[in-house]
């Protein structure tokens, strides 16, 4: 008989797997790994240690780790056409901290998006930027286009003279003006850091902007959002920044770098090399289709005139039908997993029930759904959010619908999306 504490934990793990097996996962910062990736995540690597770079470790027994990390670096550079890659960061925030350490000094000015405008918390003065002692100035923002105001941005860069200009966001519908910023950044001696956490898989598949080609010096990213790998991060950069970035990662912000995650990352990179273009293209098609269907059904989907989105995200103003928190909670009762979201017009200090609902299509796409399925998904959301149908009733139909999508696509072996091993 299992220890009661252990049984409680195992029951919760099984419960979570069961929940997502029969839910519509639409959190924009999540994805599902392939069965092969999950297999190596549960390997002996999970309790091994490695410090240093490939071929230059501080411990013995790292020969196979060198093979794994070397392959991940090789594939990263190829897929992103990057001169240098570091795959050791253990999160996207870790990547941003390392980039700030490498490119700035305490007291420097940086420019980044404000959190209500989609900026990530790691860009804010209380998070990664604060850790590095930076003064954060926010980008001018256009509510109608849900993007940075280019002309005002250029003027602000000249006036503020930041050490780093940060692009990328947590609420991220459209490409950011990297190309437009490059010349003025050169004028004032600023570097460009592009936080590609949400759109890394779209960049890899050629379905979003190419930040490094457009002029970014450093591209940071999470490996588990549109990029469908294990939780972790990577940094890609120009060669001139390689030594500083590597030192900022190790020994700066990372010791051991979670070797089992890097093995799963290497596998996912191989998958993206072969399947990434088709996968990324379908993610964006699905997001645009979802936005159009929801708009037709009476939702206030942002940026209709711009085609709703060019990423994996759809942003919906639900302030007049209950608010973001209320709608997200009701959807969860129907096994539709989404999140409330601040919009630029919301008060950042009152986040209990913001205006927005953020929906991501990357995981549904990974499970083989396409545009027709997005119409069904929109109908489920409408039944809960607009029609105010009892969520438990909608849940029965969601479970039946989701039972048809239990295989991971765009990978080498996708059998058993939610089957891993039997927990006792």
């Amino acid at each position: 008989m299992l220890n009661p504490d252990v049984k409680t934990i195992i029951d919760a793990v099984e419960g979570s797997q069961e929940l997502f097996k029969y839910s519509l996962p639409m959190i924009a910062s999540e994805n599902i790994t392939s069965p092969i990736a999950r297999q190596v995540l549960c390997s002996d690597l999970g309790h091994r240690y490695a410090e240093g770079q490939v071929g230059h470790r501080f411990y013995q027994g790292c020969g196979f780790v060198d093979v794994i990390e070397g392959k991940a670096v090789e594939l990263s550079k190829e897929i992103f056409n990057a001169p240098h890659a570091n795959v050791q960061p253990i999160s996207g925030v870790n990547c941003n901290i390392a980039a700030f350490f490498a490119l700035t000094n305490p007291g420097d000015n940086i420019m980044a998006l404000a959190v209500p405008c989609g900026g990530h918390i790691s860009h804010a003065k209380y998070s990664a930027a604060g850790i590095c002692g930076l003064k954060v100035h926010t980008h001018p923002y256009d509510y109608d286009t849900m993007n940075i105001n280019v002309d005002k941005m250029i003027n602000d860069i000249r006036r503020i003279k930041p050490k780093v200009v940060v692009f990328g966001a947590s609420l991220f519908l459209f490409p950011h003006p990297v190309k437009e910023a490059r010349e003025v950044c050169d004028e004032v001696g600023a570097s460009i850091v592009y936080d590609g956490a949400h759109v890394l898989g779209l960049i890899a598949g050629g379905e979003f902007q190419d930040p490094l080609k457009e002029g970014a010096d450093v591209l940071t990213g999470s490996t588990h959002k549109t990029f469908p790998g294990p939780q972790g991060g990577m940094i890609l950069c120009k060669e001139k920044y390689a030594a500083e970035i590597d030192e900022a990662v190790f020994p700066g912000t990372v010791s051991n770098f979670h070797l089992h995650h890097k093995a799963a990352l290497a596998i996912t990179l191989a998958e993206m090399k072969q399947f990434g273009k088709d996968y990324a293209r379908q993610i964006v098609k699905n997001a645009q289709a979802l936005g159009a269907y929801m708009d037709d059904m009476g939702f206030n989907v942002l940026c209709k005139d711009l085609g709703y989105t060019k990423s994996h995200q759809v942003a919906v103003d639900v302030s007049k039908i209950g608010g973001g928190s209320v709608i997200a909670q009701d959807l969860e009762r129907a096994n539709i997993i989404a999140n409330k979201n601040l919009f630029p017009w919301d008060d950042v200090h009152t986040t209990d029930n913001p205006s927005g609902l953020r929906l991501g299509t990357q995981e549904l796409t990974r499970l083989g759904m396409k545009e027709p399925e997005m119409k069904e998904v929109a109908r489920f959301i409408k039944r809960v959010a607009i029609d105010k149908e009892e969520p438990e009733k909608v849940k029965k139909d969601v479970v039946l619908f989701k039972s048809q999508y239990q295989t991971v696509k765009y990978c080498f072996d996708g059998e058993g999306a939610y089957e891993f091993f039997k927990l006792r």
Side-chain angles (χ1 to χ4, degrees), residues 196-218:
H198 268 272
V199 294
L200 194 68
L202 303 182
I203 295 169
E207 285 298 317
F208 209 65
Q209 66 189 131
D210 184 337
L212 294 174
K213 185 177 181 180
E214 291 184 16
D217 298 294
V218 177

mmCIF file of all heavy atoms in Angstrom, residues 196-218:
data_model
loop_
_atom_site.group_PDB
_atom_site.id
_atom_site.type_symbol
_atom_site.label_atom_id
_atom_site.label_comp_id
_atom_site.label_asym_id
_atom_site.label_seq_id
_atom_site.Cartn_x
_atom_site.Cartn_y
_atom_site.Cartn_z
ATOM 1 N N GLY A 196 11.321 36.285 -27.679
ATOM 2 C CA GLY A 196 10.471 35.466 -28.539
ATOM 3 C C GLY A 196 9.834 34.302 -27.813
ATOM 4 O O GLY A 196 9.500 33.293 -28.452
ATOM 5 N N ALA A 197 9.643 34.432 -26.500
ATOM 6 C CA ALA A 197 9.134 33.313 -25.708
ATOM 7 C C ALA A 197 7.869 32.714 -26.309
ATOM 8 O O ALA A 197 7.762 31.494 -26.484
ATOM 9 C CB ALA A 197 8.878 33.768 -24.269
ATOM 10 N N HIS A 198 6.903 33.567 -26.638
ATOM 11 C CA HIS A 198 5.630 33.057 -27.131
ATOM 12 C C HIS A 198 5.696 32.599 -28.575
ATOM 13 O O HIS A 198 5.003 31.655 -28.961
ATOM 14 C CB HIS A 198 4.541 34.121 -26.969
ATOM 15 C CG HIS A 198 3.810 34.005 -25.678
ATOM 16 N ND1 HIS A 198 2.703 33.212 -25.518
ATOM 17 C CD2 HIS A 198 4.053 34.555 -24.476
ATOM 18 C CE1 HIS A 198 2.278 33.286 -24.263
ATOM 19 N NE2 HIS A 198 3.084 34.093 -23.616
ATOM 20 N N VAL A 199 6.503 33.243 -29.376
ATOM 21 C CA VAL A 199 6.438 33.002 -30.821
ATOM 22 C C VAL A 199 7.649 32.237 -31.350
ATOM 23 O O VAL A 199 7.855 32.164 -32.566
ATOM 24 C CB VAL A 199 6.288 34.344 -31.581
ATOM 25 C CG1 VAL A 199 4.946 34.983 -31.266
ATOM 26 C CG2 VAL A 199 7.431 35.311 -31.237
ATOM 27 N N LEU A 200 8.429 31.617 -30.468
ATOM 28 C CA LEU A 200 9.653 30.944 -30.901
ATOM 29 C C LEU A 200 9.369 29.852 -31.935
ATOM 30 O O LEU A 200 10.106 29.698 -32.905
ATOM 31 C CB LEU A 200 10.393 30.358 -29.698
ATOM 32 C CG LEU A 200 11.831 29.917 -29.958
ATOM 33 C CD1 LEU A 200 12.723 31.127 -30.228
ATOM 34 C CD2 LEU A 200 12.386 29.119 -28.781
ATOM 35 N N GLY A 201 8.305 29.092 -31.739
ATOM 36 C CA GLY A 201 7.958 28.052 -32.704
ATOM 37 C C GLY A 201 7.515 28.617 -34.036
ATOM 38 O O GLY A 201 7.781 28.032 -35.096
ATOM 39 N N LEU A 202 6.854 29.780 -34.007
ATOM 40 C CA LEU A 202 6.440 30.428 -35.253
ATOM 41 C C LEU A 202 7.646 30.977 -35.996
ATOM 42 O O LEU A 202 7.715 30.919 -37.226
ATOM 43 C CB LEU A 202 5.437 31.550 -34.949
ATOM 44 C CG LEU A 202 4.170 31.149 -34.194
ATOM 45 C CD1 LEU A 202 3.263 32.361 -34.011
ATOM 46 C CD2 LEU A 202 3.432 30.025 -34.898
ATOM 47 N N ILE A 203 8.613 31.518 -35.249
ATOM 48 C CA ILE A 203 9.854 31.985 -35.869
ATOM 49 C C ILE A 203 10.593 30.806 -36.495
ATOM 50 O O ILE A 203 11.071 30.884 -37.635
ATOM 51 C CB ILE A 203 10.738 32.695 -34.830
ATOM 52 C CG1 ILE A 203 10.046 33.971 -34.323
ATOM 53 C CG2 ILE A 203 12.099 33.028 -35.417
ATOM 54 C CD1 ILE A 203 10.720 34.599 -33.121
ATOM 55 N N ALA A 204 10.677 29.699 -35.759
ATOM 56 C CA ALA A 204 11.368 28.510 -36.267
ATOM 57 C C ALA A 204 10.722 28.002 -37.552
ATOM 58 O O ALA A 204 11.409 27.501 -38.453
ATOM 59 C CB ALA A 204 11.364 27.411 -35.207
ATOM 60 N N GLY A 205 9.400 28.117 -37.638
ATOM 61 C CA GLY A 205 8.685 27.636 -38.814
ATOM 62 C C GLY A 205 8.543 28.658 -39.921
ATOM 63 O O GLY A 205 7.895 28.390 -40.937
ATOM 64 N N GLY A 206 9.112 29.859 -39.730
ATOM 65 C CA GLY A 206 9.059 30.881 -40.767
ATOM 66 C C GLY A 206 7.713 31.546 -40.927
ATOM 67 O O GLY A 206 7.410 32.109 -41.981
ATOM 68 N N GLU A 207 6.885 31.547 -39.861
ATOM 69 C CA GLU A 207 5.540 32.107 -39.956
ATOM 70 C C GLU A 207 5.365 33.375 -39.125
ATOM 71 O O GLU A 207 4.242 33.809 -38.884
ATOM 72 C CB GLU A 207 4.507 31.060 -39.531
ATOM 73 C CG GLU A 207 4.266 29.980 -40.550
ATOM 74 C CD GLU A 207 3.704 30.515 -41.866
ATOM 75 O OE1 GLU A 207 2.805 31.373 -41.825
ATOM 76 O OE2 GLU A 207 4.180 30.081 -42.929
ATOM 77 N N PHE A 208 6.438 33.945 -38.650
ATOM 78 C CA PHE A 208 6.382 35.220 -37.949
ATOM 79 C C PHE A 208 7.570 36.017 -38.455
ATOM 80 O O PHE A 208 8.226 35.629 -39.422
ATOM 81 C CB PHE A 208 6.448 34.983 -36.430
ATOM 82 C CG PHE A 208 5.743 36.023 -35.601
ATOM 83 C CD1 PHE A 208 4.373 36.180 -35.685
ATOM 84 C CD2 PHE A 208 6.452 36.852 -34.742
ATOM 85 C CE1 PHE A 208 3.712 37.130 -34.919
ATOM 86 C CE2 PHE A 208 5.806 37.808 -33.967
ATOM 87 C CZ PHE A 208 4.424 37.948 -34.053
ATOM 88 N N GLN A 209 7.878 37.144 -37.850
ATOM 89 C CA GLN A 209 9.066 37.870 -38.275
ATOM 90 C C GLN A 209 10.320 37.102 -37.875
ATOM 91 O O GLN A 209 10.284 36.260 -36.969
ATOM 92 C CB GLN A 209 9.070 39.264 -37.638
ATOM 93 C CG GLN A 209 9.213 39.283 -36.139
ATOM 94 C CD GLN A 209 8.989 40.670 -35.562
ATOM 95 O OE1 GLN A 209 8.244 40.830 -34.623
ATOM 96 N NE2 GLN A 209 9.629 41.696 -36.121
ATOM 97 N N ASP A 210 11.427 37.397 -38.555
ATOM 98 C CA ASP A 210 12.718 36.810 -38.229
ATOM 99 C C ASP A 210 13.525 37.889 -37.506
ATOM 100 O O ASP A 210 14.168 38.729 -38.144
ATOM 101 C CB ASP A 210 13.427 36.368 -39.509
ATOM 102 C CG ASP A 210 14.750 35.660 -39.242
ATOM 103 O OD1 ASP A 210 15.331 35.870 -38.163
ATOM 104 O OD2 ASP A 210 15.214 34.917 -40.128
ATOM 105 N N PRO A 211 13.514 37.904 -36.173
ATOM 106 C CA PRO A 211 14.100 39.029 -35.433
ATOM 107 C C PRO A 211 15.583 39.248 -35.712
ATOM 108 O O PRO A 211 16.021 40.394 -35.866
ATOM 109 C CB PRO A 211 13.875 38.644 -33.967
ATOM 110 C CG PRO A 211 12.776 37.653 -33.987
ATOM 111 C CD PRO A 211 12.913 36.914 -35.267
ATOM 112 N N LEU A 212 16.365 38.175 -35.776
ATOM 113 C CA LEU A 212 17.799 38.324 -36.008
ATOM 114 C C LEU A 212 18.070 38.902 -37.396
ATOM 115 O O LEU A 212 18.940 39.749 -37.574
ATOM 116 C CB LEU A 212 18.514 36.988 -35.837
ATOM 117 C CG LEU A 212 18.502 36.405 -34.417
ATOM 118 C CD1 LEU A 212 19.122 35.012 -34.408
ATOM 119 C CD2 LEU A 212 19.247 37.315 -33.435
ATOM 120 N N LYS A 213 17.321 38.460 -38.385
ATOM 121 C CA LYS A 213 17.488 38.982 -39.741
ATOM 122 C C LYS A 213 17.073 40.444 -39.820
ATOM 123 O O LYS A 213 17.660 41.235 -40.576
ATOM 124 C CB LYS A 213 16.666 38.138 -40.717
ATOM 125 C CG LYS A 213 16.860 38.510 -42.177
ATOM 126 C CD LYS A 213 16.078 37.574 -43.083
ATOM 127 C CE LYS A 213 16.287 37.922 -44.549
ATOM 128 N NZ LYS A 213 15.520 37.004 -45.446
ATOM 129 N N GLU A 214 16.065 40.833 -39.034
ATOM 130 C CA GLU A 214 15.555 42.201 -39.081
ATOM 131 C C GLU A 214 16.409 43.171 -38.262
ATOM 132 O O GLU A 214 16.173 44.386 -38.328
ATOM 133 C CB GLU A 214 14.106 42.239 -38.599
ATOM 134 C CG GLU A 214 13.140 41.557 -39.551
ATOM 135 C CD GLU A 214 11.686 41.669 -39.115
ATOM 136 O OE1 GLU A 214 11.383 42.527 -38.256
ATOM 137 O OE2 GLU A 214 10.855 40.899 -39.629
ATOM 138 N N GLY A 215 17.336 42.641 -37.475
ATOM 139 C CA GLY A 215 18.236 43.552 -36.777
ATOM 140 C C GLY A 215 18.384 43.352 -35.290
ATOM 141 O O GLY A 215 19.145 44.086 -34.642
ATOM 142 N N ALA A 216 17.693 42.384 -34.704
ATOM 143 C CA ALA A 216 17.878 42.112 -33.282
ATOM 144 C C ALA A 216 19.276 41.557 -33.040
ATOM 145 O O ALA A 216 19.814 40.809 -33.856
ATOM 146 C CB ALA A 216 16.824 41.136 -32.777
ATOM 147 N N ASP A 217 19.858 41.933 -31.906
ATOM 148 C CA ASP A 217 21.171 41.415 -31.526
ATOM 149 C C ASP A 217 21.059 40.089 -30.789
ATOM 150 O O ASP A 217 21.908 39.210 -30.941
ATOM 151 C CB ASP A 217 21.890 42.429 -30.634
ATOM 152 C CG ASP A 217 22.144 43.733 -31.357
ATOM 153 O OD1 ASP A 217 22.926 43.723 -32.312
ATOM 154 O OD2 ASP A 217 21.546 44.756 -30.966
ATOM 155 N N VAL A 218 19.996 39.971 -29.996
ATOM 156 C CA VAL A 218 19.786 38.788 -29.163
ATOM 157 C C VAL A 218 18.325 38.369 -29.255
ATOM 158 O O VAL A 218 17.425 39.211 -29.171
ATOM 159 C CB VAL A 218 20.152 39.066 -27.693
ATOM 160 C CG1 VAL A 218 19.856 37.850 -26.812
ATOM 161 C CG2 VAL A 218 21.625 39.465 -27.558
#
